[in-house]
Amino acid sequence: MNKLIQNEMLKLLARKRLLIITAIVAILVAMFTYAQYKETQSQRERMGTIEWQSLLQQQIIDSQNRLGSSRISDEWRQQLQVSIKQSQYYLDNNINPSEPGAPTFVRMFIENSSDLFIPLLIMIIASDLVSSEHSLGSIKLLLTRPVQRWKILLSKYVVLLLSTSLIVLVTAALAYVISGAVFGYHGWTAPVITGFTVEGSNLNTSGVKLMNQWEFLFMEMGLVWFVAVVVGTLSFMLSVLIRSTAAGMGVMLAALISGMILSNMVSSWASAKYFFMVNLKLTSYLSGAAPPIEGMTLFSSVSVLFVWLVAALVVSFTVFSRQDVY
């Protein structure tokens, strides 16, 4: 089994997918770091101060002004009301939600990339693991080995898990190193609030907890890793079912993009909470953002994603063990 895993990892490295992904992450992190720096400079010029209390108070005022518009939807209005109450809670408790430093940048970057950017990176790896064997014509040679099919597929899935872990870690490391050169590497022990719960437009603070930023960041990383594994497993299943890598990537890309659209439109469609793509934003539960559909919780979203993961694995191993090769 170890030799199978080693062989699959060597094939993955030979395609240089991980190297390309690392380069993509480095470029995008550098771009976002520069954009964040320019935004900070713009706020300083506009407000005449970099005091976080003044900036947060201005955000509250801007959000309140938006509430006065008749053009915004009820769902967006509720999100604004929750955001205002959260910001006011930070002010009342004298806690900066955006403490300057690389750890804060990493936390926000990971949170904003958890439901699309990182899953797309994983999809690049997963969609090619099995389908590439068909396109290269090496599937017959692979299956003629005196090894059971499920072991061959398991070795590929283990490589996927290792690659997923590596991509998540590399993303966080690059975000920390690059942003730290601009914002500094301090802020690991900055206070972060979690435990907000949203009920309609009301913000419940009874379960609020205060923790160090490094603890919060590790919690986020764990949730992002789980989401990446789920998306990777579903892409892996498509790689087994669809022998074209491009077609498999197209299906998963369409699903991820539709998930982002649905998350902003399905508040009244209760059964949509069982779609995996509506449940990918797990990190929003830590920050206290309103769920796409009322009643959704971190536990329910993790449960739905876990069911999709298990179903994808069952389908993958069943089909791969029985399909004809020609």
Side-chain angles (χ1 to χ4, degrees):
M1 190 66 187
N2 290 335
K3 290 184 178 180
L4 285 173
I5 295 173
Q6 183 179 8
N7 183 56
E8 291 299 329
M9 182 60 74
L10 289 175
K11 287 195 290 186
L12 179 62
L13 293 175
R15 297 188 189 113
K16 299 182 179 179
R17 295 291 177 89
L18 291 175
L19 185 62
I20 294 172
I21 288 174
T22 301
I24 292 173
V25 173
I27 293 171
L28 288 179
V29 167
M31 290 173 57
F32 285 123
T33 299
Y34 180 74
Q36 184 65 41
Y37 172 75
K38 295 297 290 184
E39 177 64 22
T40 302
Q41 295 295 103
S42 176
Q43 288 180 342
R44 179 183 299 177
E45 294 174 1
R46 187 174 65 252
M47 301 287 296
T49 180
I50 58 173
E51 291 292 331
W52 69 269
Q53 293 92 339
S54 301
L55 296 176
L56 194 58
Q57 187 63 53
Q58 185 60 47
Q59 290 178 10
I60 293 174
I61 294 172
D62 292 342
S63 297
Q64 289 173 336
N65 291 336
R66 288 179 199 159
L67 286 176
S69 174
S70 59
R71 299 179 182 178
I72 63 175
S73 64
D74 292 338
E75 290 80 7
W76 182 238
R77 187 182 301 276
Q78 286 185 350
Q79 291 180 14
L80 281 176
Q81 291 172 340
V82 170
S83 177
I84 290 172
K85 292 174 182 177
Q86 273 188 325
S87 298
Q88 191 60 54
Y89 187 90
Y90 282 112
L91 279 176
D92 294 341
N93 290 273
N94 195 34
I95 295 176
N96 185 359
S98 302
E99 184 74 23
T104 299
F105 180 90
V106 174
R107 174 167 59 87
M108 293 183 174
F109 182 80
I110 290 293
E111 181 178 338
N112 290 318
S113 60
S114 63
D115 59 336
L116 185 60
F117 177 59
I118 291 180
L120 283 177
L121 299 179
I122 305 303
M123 183 189 71
I124 294 174
I125 300 294
S127 297
D128 192 48
L129 283 175
V130 180
S131 59
S132 63
E133 302 286 358
H134 290 280
S135 60
L136 294 174
S138 57
I139 186 67
K140 293 182 180 179
L141 180 63
L142 184 67
L143 296 182
T144 55
R145 293 182 177 183
V147 180
Q148 292 177 299
R149 287 191 177 191
W150 69 267
K151 288 186 177 180
I152 294 175
L153 192 63
L154 180 60
S155 67
K156 289 180 175 292
Y157 188 69
V158 171
V159 168
L160 172 62
L161 294 180
L162 293 174
S163 302
T164 299
S165 303
L166 182 61
I167 289 172
V168 173
L169 289 174
V170 166
T171 301
L174 286 174
Y176 178 72
V177 171
I178 295 174
S179 65
V182 177
F183 304 115
Y185 296 100
H186 56 276
W188 283 106
T189 58
V192 178
I193 292 178
T194 186
F196 292 113
T197 54
V198 179
E199 301 167 357
S201 60
N202 297 319
L203 184 69
N204 186 349
T205 60
S206 60
V208 162
K209 296 179 182 178
L210 191 66
M211 61 175 59
N212 292 324
Q213 182 155 236
W214 68 268
E215 296 175 300
F216 188 88
L217 185 55
F218 276 106
M219 290 171 61
E220 275 197 338
M221 292 282 289
L223 293 177
V224 170
W225 179 85
F226 177 68
V227 168
V229 168
V230 172
V231 173
T233 304
L234 290 169
S235 300
F236 185 74
M237 177 188 69
L238 291 175
S239 183
V240 173
L241 297 177
I242 305 175
R243 300 185 179 186
S244 168
T245 300
M249 292 179 68
V251 171
M252 184 53 65
L253 179 61
L256 292 174
I257 294 176
S258 65
M260 294 191 66
I261 298 173
L262 281 173
S263 296
N264 297 319
M265 299 175 61
V266 296
S267 59
S268 59
W269 185 13
S271 57
K273 64 185 178 182
Y274 299 112
F275 294 152
F276 80 91
M277 52 274 202
V278 179
N279 292 274
L280 294 180
K281 195 72 172 178
L282 295 182
T283 56
S284 63
Y285 293 107
L286 296 181
S287 60
I293 300 172
E294 189 173 354
M296 290 177 62
T297 63
L298 177 59
F299 178 77
S300 68
S301 290
V302 169
S303 299
V304 169
L305 291 177
F306 183 75
V307 171
W308 277 88
L309 183 149
V310 172
L313 283 177
V314 171
V315 172
S316 298
F317 279 87
T318 301
V319 172
F320 188 79
S321 298
R322 298 179 180 179
Q323 67 181 179
D324 294 327
V325 178
Y326 51 87

